[in-house]
Amino acid sequence: MADDPLAPPAALAGDVTVPPAVAGAEPVQSVCTPIRLSYTYTPGRALSRYLQAMAGKRILGERCGVTGQVFVPPRGVSPLAGTTTAGVVELADTGYVDSFNITRVPIERRPDLKPPYCSAWIVLDGASVGFMGLVINIPPEEVRIGMRVRAVWKPDDELETSAANIGGWEPTGEPDEVIDDYERLGRVGGQQP
Amino acid sequence: MASEVLQAPLVLEYPFTRSTGPVIGAFLTGLREGVICGIRRADGTVLCPPLEYDPLTAEPLTELVEVGQSGEVLTWAWNGEPRPMQPFDRPFAWALIRLDGADTSMLHAVFADSPSDMSTGMRVRAVWRSEREGHIADIAGFDPDPDPAGLS
């Protein structure tokens, strides 16, 4: 019905005529169009310090001189105060799961990520913000918000200047954080300027 | 404290698979079969590559027709430093090519040895890949046509 506003347009309904050379062929219905951007990434001074510390199995954050918040990974500036950070802070490699996601669909070219796996927003002890990590050595179904975790570092002879030195985060077995005060937990001096 | 400046390669890649619909699908099916299709407008002119809708009237277009495998370079630009996944691994020309029987032009590569071998109005001929899958790259590119009159 030409007047039916919900009817698909002819061009999408398959109501097209094709030349003989195409008519008998199995129709193409999809096409792969990969997009690829290849960069040389220069992390800058703050992230370079962070990555170099990673080679020694240390995690560096930076403290905001205005609010006292501690940011990791450090960017050299405080995103809330808009100032350069006041100093470098070494953080523990323990923290808790702030939120998480279980992935059940494989990602092409990431055969190292075997579904189901759990990626989580992890707040380190002493940090004011979380960062991304994999939760490992526990069935994904048993991961929960507030669960205490510690970094699982790669073997010493595989360490690089890379955040990939942390292969994942495993449960410590400590009692869960009770997240009844979201602004306080793990968020040092969380006052906004 | 000065610290060493770090650098690392960073590749961002999305392996999109797109649905073609019947019009673009027919164009790609044609490429796989070794023919090039355009689509006819109400006034009889032919758009190649085909569009699903008339760019002037917005009417749906449905009549795919075969066009020629040779055509004319309308405009071109020399690509002196090809990047990965471009049609050729040594310098070539990008060109807008109006194929015989079509009224619009298609962007593709012309395998010329140097910019001095390129000119607007020159004749070119499609070069097909031997293994085709229904993709614009089934046409490897276009060669300058040594026999523009088609006498051979």
Side-chain angles (χ1 to χ4, degrees), chain A residues 9-19 21-22 25-43 48-49 51-52 108-109 161, chain B residues 3-20 22-23 25-26 28-30 32-33 35 37 52-53 61-66 134-135:
Chain A
L12 297 180
D15 189 15
V16 300
T17 60
V18 297
V22 176
E26 177 71 21
V28 172
Q29 294 184 313
S30 68
V31 62
C32 289
T33 56
I35 288 175
R36 181 185 170 93
L37 299 167
S38 186
Y39 297 94
T40 299
Y41 181 67
T42 303
S48 289
R49 272 195 299 269
L51 293 169
Q52 278 154 349
E108 208 181 311
R109 299 184 207 187
T161 49
Chain B
S3 61
E4 180 196 351
V5 175
L6 297 176
Q7 282 193 337
L10 176 67
V11 176
L12 191 60
E13 193 168 26
Y14 300 103
F16 289 126
T17 299
R18 301 168 62 186
S19 300
T20 55
V23 172
L28 296 175
T29 304
R32 195 189 61 212
E33 303 303 316
V35 302
C37 291
E52 292 161 327
Y53 298 94
L61 299 174
T62 60
E63 188 189 355
L64 287 138
V65 294
E66 189 172 339
H135 192 280

